[in-house]
Amino acid sequence: MQLSDAVAEVEEQRASLMKTAEELTQTLTAADALAGAGGRGGDWIIDDTIPGELLASMDQTMADLKSELIPLFTGWRRMTGAQFADALRSGYQLARQDHDRREAELGSVELRLRDILGELAAAIGQE
């Protein structure tokens, strides 16, 4: 049962990592869109341009940021689109490094589980 639970957990973590990779790609796409929004380049100010209901949603997102990302977005409402895009790209780099580290760790766990399963199969004669 414990081995089955471990395999299920690895599968859940793998799915989570795939979702995170997708979100990271979307972050880069958003950064590129912000930097060149409306054909004006990134010289527009976020607080002066983005509708209030979207700003409220963004406020919540900013409140939920991981601690290492907070300094990147300090004063984000007064940033230009280009500055915000740069902050997104920097945040992407930090998140990508964390993602890659977690993926490597998960790969190690998957290899250990595969070895254990192989040993169990050999022990019961079912290779």
Side-chain angles (χ1 to χ4, degrees):
M1 275 310 272
Q2 289 177 343
L3 187 55
S4 177
D5 291 345
V7 170
E9 173 144 352
V10 165
E11 289 173 352
E12 287 173 16
Q13 288 181 14
R14 179 61 61 195
S16 174
L17 282 172
M18 289 174 61
K19 182 177 183 234
T20 300
E22 226 174 85
E23 291 169 351
L24 287 170
T25 299
Q26 291 171 355
T27 298
L28 275 186
T29 301
D32 291 341
L34 279 171
R40 298 184 299 168
D43 60 349
W44 50 277
I45 302 294
I46 289 176
D47 205 30
D48 297 339
T49 307
I50 295 180
E53 62 274 1
L54 183 54
L55 282 174
S57 173
M58 290 174 72
D59 279 334
Q60 184 58 51
T61 300
M62 295 302 161
D64 294 339
L65 285 177
K66 290 183 178 180
S67 60
E68 65 270 14
L69 297 177
I70 291 172
L72 296 173
F73 294 96
T74 300
W76 70 273
R77 281 178 167 247
R78 297 306 309 154
M79 288 181 180
T80 64
Q83 290 169 327
F84 194 78
D86 287 344
L88 281 174
R89 287 186 192 102
S90 295
Y92 166 86
Q93 291 299 327
L94 289 172
R96 188 76 219 191
Q97 289 169 0
D98 181 58
H99 175 273
D100 292 348
R101 179 192 53 76
R102 289 175 48 218
E103 191 168 44
E105 289 172 359
L106 185 58
S108 295
V109 170
E110 287 172 330
L111 286 175
R112 281 187 283 159
L113 279 174
R114 197 171 298 130
D115 289 345
I116 291 168
L117 288 171
E119 290 174 14
L120 285 172
I124 60 174
Q126 295 184 4
E127 283 193 79

